[in-house]
Amino acid sequence: MKIREINAMRGPNYWSVRRHKLIVMVLDLEEMEELPSNKIDGFPERLKTMFPSMYSHRCSEGCEGGFFMRVDEGTWMGHIIEHIALEIQTLAGMDTGFGRTRGYGEEGVYSVVFSYMEESVGRFAAKSAVRICEALIAGEDYDLTEDIQEMRELREADRLGPSTGSIVEEAEARGIPWIRLNKYSLCQLGYGANQKRIQATVTSETSSIGVELACDKEDTKYLLEQAEVEVPRGDIIRRERSLEEACRYVGYPLVIKPIDGNHGRGITVDIQNYEDALQAFHHAKESSKSGAIIVEKFIVGDDYRLLVINNKLVAGAIRTPAHVIGDGTSTIQELIDKVNSDPRRGYGHENVLTQISVNELTKTIIKDAGYTLDSVIPEGERFILKDTANLSTGGTAEDITDIIHPANVSMAERISKIIDLDICGIDIMTTDISKPLSETGGAVLEVNAGPGFRMHLAPTTGLPRNVASPVIDKLFPQKGDTGRIPIIATSGTNGKTTTTRLIAHIAKMKGYRVGYTTSDGVYIQNRLLMTGDCTGPASTEFVLKDPTVNFAVLECARGGLLRAGLGFKKCDVAVVTNVAADHLGLKGIHTIEQLAKVKAVVPETVLPDGYAILNADDDLVYDMRRNVDCNVALFSMDENNPRIKALQRLNGITAVYENGWVTICRGEWKMRIMKAENIPLTYGGKAKFMIQNVLGAILAAHVQGISIEDMKAALETFIPSASQTPGRLNLFEFKDFTILLDYAHNPAGMRALKKFTDELDATVKVGIIAGIGDRRIEDNNEMGGIAAEMFDEIIIRQDKRLRGKTEEELIKMLNDGIKTKDPNKKTTIIPSEKEAITYAVKNAVKGSLIILCSDVIPDALDLVQQFKDKEAKGELVFAD
């Protein structure tokens, strides 16, 4: 078995799954004799022995044991690998259950699709599942232990922590989109100019002064003392020689800790003598960046954490360090193992509680108490194993929100304003939180910026609190605010780049700050920031991350969809221009109907109150209306199209080409925008496919509330040129000839180009064409045949982007198509595009039209511009 490729789908995709992130693995089984599972000796039994928990997999049978029924009856290995990949993720603590296995269109090749929680784990599970299946086929033993642990470690390294994760989940529940900005906890909520950012529980609105104060325990304590907040008596020192005096001033028992520490690092508590104080001082020094150490009174009581968000107390918890309780017979290690056997405890943050690890600190604590791991402690004795109560080290938490005394609530809320933190955790030591600190002798120990939420989200006992909700309330205070910006997505085979550019131009003229993606690059306010084919999710995220953008227009091509899905979950408007045979035979897409299903993903992501704008003249595009959950608007080159008439009778929105006008209709009422011949993009109305692009664009603008006046201004100023529409009908007038540069790269595009050039006068029409390596033989043949009908002379060129074919193969495909239509057609073969263009220019006759079909637009435009410059200087020399 061989894995051809593994891709991660992070958004909606052509499998029509909405709530899953998917791994898509293309699995090639051609190298092995593809036998059903029941034909391999002992295979079903070995699988059941290794994965008895797979009995719960219902599979297509719809009942428990359904998958094993399929294995006994005989099923293909791709299907089995799918289920193994899901099961091993479940065993590693990530229960994710969606999977599909489908044929790829090639004998013995399958698309294996399954869901994941963390991409790195999903990719690992794909490879591991293949290894496991190979071992089962061979009858070899396979130890799952290392793979399960590897997946756990990958998850912990990559996943969002509980605090960040809870905020993201709350945002998702409110329809607020989010993007992870780095591999840690920096996340963006919302898009573009409306975004907010969080990093753990620090927000883009958190005061930097507040964070600095909270990190400086000396300043924090000083401010709180000045405000008459109960704090422990203490002193701050930097040198060992000051320690003894500080201990006398404060009085035992003591706490010694670094002034700039966090997460309990470097803290020693309940110090009873100078010798222990000296050791604690050096321990604190190791964790102190500034070298400043706090020596303060050890307050007797329980460890409480009060959480204040937006100056309101939202939760409180009492924390207990990791510990065991003696039973008089078990060793400390056995007691730890017993505690860790609690199903609520897991690796890292995978469960409510974390397993207690025996590290050097734990061993030191045990040793200092006069014990070893093999010691038996008396029955009922509670033995503390860690020096802090953090849940991440095995501690526990009990929710006490409802019993906090109002005086303590008021104090906590006041502290948040004194320190100036929108989210803060206040650590208090007291014997009874239901009484004021002034009565119990308790004190405020610390104020923390970026406090952890885990103890409140999932306390060991007590009521869980949705503490993420007030964070979102603060970041997005307006009811219904989702932090979104308008998103218009375009898809289709031909015309989507021009449509994207035109919509972006209309929005820009309206005053929006527009970011848009195309097959030429990514633009922010018409400034090209990324070059190349930028029609996938990475480019989409580039635009949606940009904090200057308040309107996005995104071209979505089949390649990006199949490779990694979309870079967004929902859009406001989707425009589908057409569907034609292109790139068939790639990525498991072998028919035009399959291609239409891929492109249909885009309108299926439109929000319920948004619009899918569909080409009513294209049967496959029109059929996409059946699976959308939004409004539908249609456009057509024929105002009498029955589909248009039917929607108009329902008072729907349409756009049509009628009597020479591009017109928007609400119901049957017409709102004429402009005469097509006056729209520069249509070349006087001759470029009919451009009129079609205009119809889709003005509909998108109309449903977004852009006025007819703004549309007209934009259409008049959108000039087909190398700057505004590179590679799309770029016409260059020379003194004696004309060059037309276009991106036509498939049969449908060539036919549309032919209709346009048929209306152009020329003494001779010379075509420069190239075969494309990732098209089928019949596609290149057809392009050659169309070229034979379009041009008087043909130059076949080929660039370096062969995409799996040889120059000779591609040239032959085109030549075969040409000869089929016209065996006597004048044809010249010049593999280099530069040399081919140069040859055509140097041999151009007066009044000729050179039509260059290029797929490397920047290079071709640059060369043509060089010829223009040479002509201006009188340096352009022609053949005799």
Side-chain angles (χ1 to χ4, degrees):
M1 286 181 280
K2 180 174 67 176
I3 299 174
R4 286 192 181 179
E5 60 180 278
I6 300 175
N7 294 316
M9 295 278 186
R10 290 165 290 175
N13 52 79
Y14 73 107
W15 293 88
S16 296
V17 178
R18 290 292 169 265
R19 292 180 298 277
H20 298 287
K21 298 179 290 184
L22 303 178
I23 291 295
V24 180
M25 172 173 53
V26 180
L27 186 62
D28 191 338
L29 303 177
E30 290 181 313
E31 294 180 357
M32 60 175 285
E33 182 181 3
E34 193 187 350
L35 292 172
S37 52
N38 63 346
K39 299 297 183 183
I40 301 174
D41 289 342
F43 182 88
E45 291 72 22
R46 290 194 292 272
L47 181 66
K48 293 173 187 177
T49 300
M50 189 171 189
F51 296 106
S53 52
M54 274 193 188
Y55 184 76
S56 63
H57 291 214
R58 294 173 173 268
C59 203
S60 57
E61 301 297 325
C63 61
E64 284 200 347
F67 172 62
F68 284 152
M69 292 167 62
R70 294 288 306 277
V71 173
D72 290 337
E73 293 166 1
T75 187
W76 55 90
M77 289 302 146
H79 182 210
I80 293 170
I81 286 169
E82 167 209 324
H83 279 267
I84 291 175
L86 289 171
E87 185 61 20
I88 59 177
Q89 289 185 87
T90 299
L91 294 174
M94 290 159 278
D95 190 3
T96 173
F98 176 84
R100 293 287 186 273
T101 300
R102 295 291 184 267
Y104 192 71
E106 298 177 32
E107 188 69 27
V109 182
Y110 298 93
S111 282
V112 180
V113 180
F114 59 87
S115 53
Y116 66 86
M117 290 184 178
E118 298 298 331
E119 182 178 326
S120 59
V121 177
R123 290 179 178 274
F124 181 89
K127 297 174 183 177
S128 178
V130 172
R131 293 193 298 268
I132 292 167
C133 199
E134 288 174 332
L136 288 168
I137 291 169
E140 299 171 351
D141 292 334
Y142 193 98
D143 186 358
L144 283 173
T145 307
E146 288 187 7
D147 286 4
I148 299 300
Q149 184 60 26
E150 177 73 12
M151 286 188 282
R152 285 175 168 168
E153 291 176 5
L154 286 171
R155 176 199 54 207
E156 290 304 308
D158 293 353
R159 74 188 301 187
L160 292 173
S163 302
T164 313
S166 69
I167 298 172
V168 165
E169 287 175 10
E170 180 66 22
E172 279 193 320
R174 301 189 190 193
I176 299 170
W178 68 282
I179 300 172
R180 190 170 185 174
L181 298 179
N182 64 12
K183 65 179 182 178
Y184 302 109
S185 56
L186 181 62
C187 294
Q188 170 184 320
L189 307 180
Y191 287 148
N194 295 335
Q195 68 180 267
K196 303 290 185 180
R197 292 183 180 180
I198 60 169
Q199 182 160 285
T201 60
V202 174
T203 77
S204 50
E205 298 184 0
T206 299
S207 161
S208 59
I209 292 177
V211 172
E212 286 194 20
L213 281 174
C215 292
D216 188 327
K217 293 178 175 57
E218 181 176 11
D219 279 351
T220 297
K221 187 174 181 180
Y222 176 76
L223 288 177
L224 294 182
E225 279 181 325
Q226 295 299 305
E228 294 297 327
V229 174
E230 290 88 347
V231 294
R233 183 174 186 175
D235 195 7
I236 296 172
I237 62 175
R238 285 176 171 79
R239 296 174 180 82
E240 183 182 323
R241 64 173 178 263
S242 305
L243 178 62
E244 190 171 0
E245 183 180 346
C247 291
R248 280 198 302 269
Y249 167 70
V250 175
Y252 297 104
L254 300 171
V255 175
I256 294 181
K257 56 188 175 182
I259 200 167
D260 49 8
N262 54 38
H263 299 294
R265 296 186 182 95
I267 298 176
T268 307
V269 301
D270 197 14
I271 300 168
Q272 299 288 346
N273 54 64
Y274 181 73
E275 183 179 329
D276 290 342
L278 185 60
Q279 185 176 351
F281 174 83
H282 290 296
H283 178 54
K285 272 285 190 181
E286 292 174 1
S287 300
S288 175
K289 295 177 182 177
S290 64
I293 304 301
I294 294 179
V295 180
E296 65 184 16
K297 189 71 174 179
F298 176 62
I299 305 298
V300 177
D302 293 314
D303 183 357
Y304 291 91
R305 163 65 64 86
L306 305 187
L307 179 64
V308 181
I309 298 175
N310 202 19
N311 307 127
K312 295 291 182 183
L313 186 135
V314 297
I318 181 171
R319 302 182 296 177
T320 305
H323 66 278
V324 292
I325 298 176
D327 59 10
T329 58
S330 302
T331 65
I332 293 176
Q333 182 64 64
E334 289 170 342
L335 292 172
I336 293 173
D337 293 341
K338 184 178 180 181
V339 170
N340 284 340
S341 67
D342 184 338
R344 295 176 299 170
R345 291 190 181 268
Y347 180 82
H349 293 147
E350 70 179 357
N351 288 343
V352 174
L353 297 172
T354 299
Q355 291 189 345
I356 301 172
S357 63
V358 179
N359 55 14
E360 289 304 316
L361 172 63
T362 304
K363 291 177 181 177
T364 299
I365 291 173
I366 293 171
K367 181 180 178 182
D368 290 347
Y371 293 132
T372 69
L373 285 169
D374 295 324
S375 299
V376 175
I377 56 179
E379 184 174 0
E381 179 182 322
R382 187 171 79 164
F383 186 76
I384 303 297
L385 296 165
K386 303 289 181 180
D387 60 355
T388 65
N390 294 334
L391 269 65
S392 59
T393 59
T396 58
E398 177 185 355
D399 177 75
I400 46 83
T401 306
D402 296 329
I403 66 169
I404 303 172
H405 193 278
N408 295 334
V409 171
S410 176
M411 176 196 67
E413 293 174 350
R414 185 164 167 256
I415 288 171
S416 73
K417 291 185 178 182
I418 293 169
I419 305 302
D420 191 23
L421 283 175
D422 59 344
I423 302 174
C424 71
I426 301 168
D427 292 340
I428 293 175
M429 187 70 72
T430 182
T431 55
D432 189 349
I433 197 67
S434 67
K435 296 177 181 178
L437 294 191
S438 57
E439 294 182 10
T440 63
V444 175
L445 304 183
E446 285 187 13
V447 179
N448 300 278
F453 284 0
R454 186 182 178 192
M455 71 186 76
H456 309 295
L457 295 165
T460 315
T461 56
L463 191 66
R465 307 284 172 167
N466 182 8
V467 294
S469 181
V471 176
I472 299 299
D473 289 340
K474 183 184 190 306
L475 294 175
F476 300 93
Q478 297 299 318
K479 186 176 181 180
D481 183 4
T482 61
R484 299 177 57 84
I485 61 174
I487 295 176
I488 297 179
T490 64
S491 188
T493 301
N494 295 308
K496 57 185 179 295
T497 298
T498 300
T499 303
T500 296
R501 286 180 172 276
L502 179 53
I503 294 170
H505 182 70
I506 295 171
K508 183 172 179 290
M509 293 293 288
K510 173 64 178 174
Y512 286 107
R513 299 186 301 277
V514 185
Y516 59 101
T517 66
T518 71
S519 55
D520 306 318
V522 177
Y523 297 78
I524 304 296
Q525 280 295 82
N526 282 349
R527 184 176 294 278
L528 180 62
L529 297 183
M530 293 176 67
T531 58
D533 187 350
C534 297
T535 54
S539 304
T540 289
E541 285 196 354
F542 183 90
V543 168
L544 298 179
K545 287 176 183 177
D546 193 294
T548 68
V549 169
N550 62 10
F551 197 103
V553 189
L554 308 170
E555 181 179 343
C556 304
R558 57 165 293 287
L561 268 168
L562 293 174
R563 183 174 59 256
L566 292 168
F568 59 88
K569 288 187 177 180
K570 292 291 181 181
C571 63
D572 299 275
V573 178
V575 182
V576 186
T577 57
N578 47 65
V579 178
D582 194 22
H583 294 287
L584 298 182
L586 298 174
K587 302 280 186 183
I589 305 302
H590 298 272
T591 68
I592 192 170
E593 289 76 17
Q594 290 176 324
L595 182 61
K597 287 183 178 180
V598 174
K599 295 185 181 296
V601 166
V602 179
E604 288 171 13
T605 65
V606 176
L607 291 160
D609 59 349
Y611 277 85
I613 296 174
L614 307 177
N615 183 353
D617 298 333
D618 188 308
D619 292 344
L620 290 171
V621 175
Y622 180 67
D623 281 346
M624 293 177 187
R625 76 194 191 284
R626 302 181 187 278
N627 295 316
V628 300
D629 183 24
C630 64
N631 302 300
V632 173
L634 301 175
F635 62 93
S636 172
M637 294 293 288
D638 177 11
E639 68 168 322
N640 295 311
N641 184 321
R643 296 165 176 172
I644 293 289
K645 291 296 185 183
L647 186 57
Q648 288 176 346
R649 286 192 293 271
L650 295 172
N651 204 35
I653 301 175
T654 57
V656 294
Y657 178 52
E658 51 89 24
N659 295 318
W661 291 78
V662 292
T663 300
I664 291 175
C665 303
R666 277 193 169 265
E668 296 181 344
W669 294 99
K670 294 180 179 178
M671 296 177 285
R672 285 179 167 170
I673 310 301
M674 284 183 70
K675 274 202 166 185
E677 64 184 26
N678 295 330
I679 300 174
L681 187 62
T682 71
Y683 284 92
K686 294 176 182 177
K688 295 296 189 289
F689 60 93
M690 285 298 189
I691 297 175
Q692 192 177 68
N693 294 336
V694 169
L695 292 175
I698 62 174
L699 261 187
H702 179 67
V703 300
Q704 280 297 111
I706 296 176
S707 69
I708 290 175
E709 290 72 21
D710 287 328
M711 279 187 243
K712 289 172 70 172
L715 291 172
E716 288 171 347
T717 56
F718 191 71
I719 312 298
S721 61
S723 59
Q724 285 198 310
T725 58
R728 276 72 183 175
L729 291 191
N730 299 154
L731 207 58
F732 298 87
E733 298 283 354
F734 287 76
K735 180 180 178 182
D736 294 321
F737 63 94
T738 302
I739 293 179
L740 176 66
L741 175 63
D742 193 75
Y743 186 62
H745 60 294
N746 55 49
M750 287 287 285
R751 287 193 202 94
L753 183 61
K754 181 180 183 301
K755 287 182 182 179
F756 173 63
T757 56
D758 284 350
E759 297 191 36
L760 301 181
D761 294 328
T763 56
V764 177
K765 294 178 181 177
V766 179
I768 302 176
I769 65 173
I772 302 177
D774 58 2
R775 294 335 189 255
R776 300 172 301 176
I777 294 175
E778 55 264 41
D779 296 327
N780 282 309
N781 289 163
E782 188 175 357
M783 289 178 69
I786 297 168
E789 297 174 347
M790 287 177 68
F791 309 126
D792 300 302
E793 300 177 17
I794 298 173
I795 300 172
I796 300 177
R797 58 94 184 167
Q798 194 59 56
D799 60 31
K800 295 179 180 179
R801 298 168 65 181
L802 300 176
R803 302 173 183 176
K805 301 288 194 307
T806 65
E807 284 187 8
E808 293 75 16
E809 288 174 328
L810 291 170
I811 291 170
K812 183 178 185 303
M813 292 176 200
L814 288 175
N815 222 350
D816 288 347
I818 294 168
K819 300 308 179 188
T820 300
K821 290 290 183 180
D822 186 351
N824 300 315
K825 180 66 65 177
K826 182 179 178 182
T827 303
T828 305
I829 297 172
I830 305 176
S832 164
E833 181 178 64
K834 181 178 181 179
E835 292 177 9
I837 297 172
T838 303
Y839 174 85
V841 168
K842 293 294 180 69
N843 291 278
V845 299
K846 192 173 182 65
S848 63
L849 173 63
I850 300 170
I851 302 168
L852 170 58
C853 299
S854 176
D855 57 350
V856 187
I857 302 301
D859 293 350
L861 285 172
D862 184 59
L863 183 58
V864 173
Q865 189 57 53
Q866 289 178 35
F867 285 125
K868 287 289 289 182
D869 294 342
K870 285 185 177 181
E871 184 184 64
K873 297 176 183 177
E875 298 175 357
L876 196 59
V877 180
F878 295 90
D880 294 334

